[in-house]
């Protein structure tokens, strides 16, 4: 405590060059879709140069799953950063995330271990010093969110207090539905990013985090992710067997199909997907790990849905036409 804090400048950086990732447990009682009451966890990624929150995912526990999905959002919306600062929590030191890193404060590092998503994308990993929260700029952002979002009037009665000796008088009076809570968090982070007059080295007491980021990002050499990299950032389901006749694949009760899946009909395949967006396309890989195709969700339609019938008839015609050409 008697040693002055290190003063670090970000002026040599640019927007999107380096990011900070960490997890935050919300002091709010939230009801999950299946009726359980939990305190949700958010894994968030913050731009170090501008202090803008760039991506975040909310779940029941801090995990490599949330971390991977947050990075998938980051590289899709912003691009591939050169470096990331994070701590040694299990969600970040997991081999899924940092496998292949030369040093790690957790787990044994082996030469033959599979590459994590950060190594696959060529992102340099910088480990924060253990038990030194001040070394992570994102902690200040989380403190703001605790005051502005967790204590939002819409969450009155669900806020738990931030310490055992600091509980509100209406502690435990209600729980917030999951979707409502996620909407409040998303709106709160948008307001946090857009608030002007930020007292940081780059905002200079005048600008918002959004404005600082936009001004730098417009001229920043941030690498854009390729379609293959975007697919690799998504989760991989355990291998499933494609339908023996059509090649359709099913996960979480949804069925997905495209004509290209016919060549893997009856085979075991790997499906990459976003569990929060199960109505988006999924990506299918064969047993050797080669990419097969993306497949849209195959939805049930109304019995007399004429438009759906026309779409299906057109698909049959296109498929037969392609087979004739082949």
């Amino acid at each position: 405590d008697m040693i002055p804090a290190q003063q670090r400048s970000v002026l040599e950086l640019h927007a999107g060059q380096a990011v900070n990732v960490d997890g935050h447990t919300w002091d709010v009682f939230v009801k999950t879709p299946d009726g359980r009451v939990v305190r949700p966890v958010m894994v968030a990624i913050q731009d170090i140069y501008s202090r803008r929150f760039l991506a975040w995912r909310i779940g029941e526990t801090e995990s490599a799953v949330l971390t991977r999905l947050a990075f998938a959002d980051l590289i899709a919306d912003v691009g591939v950063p050169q470096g990331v600062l994070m701590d040694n929590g299990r969600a970040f030191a997991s081999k899924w995330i940092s496998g292949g890193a030369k040093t790690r404060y957790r787990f044994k590092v082996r030469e033959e271990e599979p590459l994590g998503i950060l190594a696959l994308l060529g992102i340099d990993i910088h480990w924060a010093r253990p038990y030194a929260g001040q070394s992570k700029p994102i902690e200040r952002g989380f403190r703001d969110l605790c005051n502005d979002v967790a204590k939002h009037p819409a969450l009155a009665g669900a806020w738990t207090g931030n310490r055992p000796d600091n509980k509100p008088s209406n502690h435990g009076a209600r729980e917030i539905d999951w979707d409502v809570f996620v909407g409040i968090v998303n709106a709160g982070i948008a307001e946090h990013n857009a608030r002007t007059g930020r007292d940081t080295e780059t905002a200079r007491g005048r600008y918002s985090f959004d404005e600082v980021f936009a001004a730098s990002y417009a001229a920043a050499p941030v690498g854009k992710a390729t379609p293959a990299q975007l697919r690799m950032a998504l989760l991989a389901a355990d291998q499933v067997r494609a339908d023996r006749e059509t090649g359709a694949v099913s996960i979480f009760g949804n069925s997905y199909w495209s004509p290209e899946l016919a060549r893997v009909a009856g085979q075991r395949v790997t499906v990459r997907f976003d569990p929060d967006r199960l109505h988006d396309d999924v990506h299918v890989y064969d047993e050797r790990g080669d990419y097969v195709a993306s497949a849209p969700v195959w939805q049930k339609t109304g019995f007399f849905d004429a438009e759906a019938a026309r779409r299906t008839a057109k698909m049959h015609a296109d498929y037969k036409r392609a087979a004739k050409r082949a």
Side-chain angles (χ1 to χ4, degrees), residues 184-253:
I184 292 173
V185 170
N186 291 341
I189 293 178
E191 191 279 331
H192 172 87
N193 286 337
R195 194 183 312 157
T196 57
R198 291 296 192 173
D199 185 20
T200 64
E201 187 178 20
T202 51
R204 305 194 303 276
R206 298 168 55 192
Y207 303 107
S208 67
F209 298 151
D210 279 340
E211 291 170 328
V212 172
F213 180 84
S216 176
Y217 185 73
V222 180
K224 302 302 180 186
T226 65
Q229 288 175 320
L230 290 172
R231 292 194 296 266
M232 288 300 296
L234 297 176
L235 295 185
D238 289 335
Q239 286 195 330
V240 299
R241 189 173 294 280
D243 185 84
R244 293 185 181 278
E245 294 185 357
T246 65
V249 295
S250 297
I251 55 172
F252 298 107

Side-chain angles (χ1 to χ4, degrees), residues 18-58:
V19 298
N20 185 192
V21 59
D22 204 359
H24 173 70
T25 301
W26 290 97
D27 298 321
V28 180
F29 286 134
V30 178
K31 184 184 294 184
T32 64
D34 60 2
R36 291 175 296 110
V37 177
V38 299
R39 289 174 58 203
V41 171
M42 177 177 73
V43 171
I45 300 175
Q46 180 197 49
D47 179 52
I48 291 179
Y49 173 81
S50 65
R51 300 295 199 265
R52 179 180 187 260
F53 280 102
L54 302 178
W56 58 93
R57 287 293 182 112
I58 300 174

Side-chain angles (χ1 to χ4, degrees), residues 3-8 134-135:
I3 300 174
Q6 180 184 1
Q7 301 295 315
R8 296 180 293 176
Q134 66 272 23
S135 65

Side-chain angles (χ1 to χ4, degrees), residues 136-205:
K136 296 178 290 184
I138 199 171
E139 294 287 359
R140 171 60 190 271
F142 285 156
R143 192 171 68 191
D144 286 352
L145 295 181
C146 285
N147 291 326
D148 300 334
V149 178
K151 297 180 183 179
H152 192 281
L155 301 180
W159 182 59
T160 67
N162 56 359
R163 298 190 313 273
D165 60 346
N166 185 33
K167 295 186 182 299
S169 58
N170 58 354
H171 177 265
R174 59 192 283 249
E175 303 90 26
I176 299 296
D177 288 338
W178 185 273
D179 291 341
V180 174
F181 174 74
V182 171
I184 292 173
V185 170
N186 291 341
I189 293 178
E191 191 279 331
H192 172 87
N193 286 337
R195 194 183 312 157
T196 57
R198 291 296 192 173
D199 185 20
T200 64
E201 187 178 20
T202 51
R204 305 194 303 276

Side-chain angles (χ1 to χ4, degrees), residues 236-242 249-251 267-273 284-290:
D238 289 335
Q239 286 195 330
V240 299
R241 189 173 294 280
V249 295
S250 297
I251 55 172
Q267 300 179 22
R268 296 195 71 81
V269 296
T270 299
V271 182
R272 290 192 177 276
F273 64 99
V284 181
Y285 296 76
D286 64 18
E287 290 179 295
R288 296 181 303 173
D290 295 333

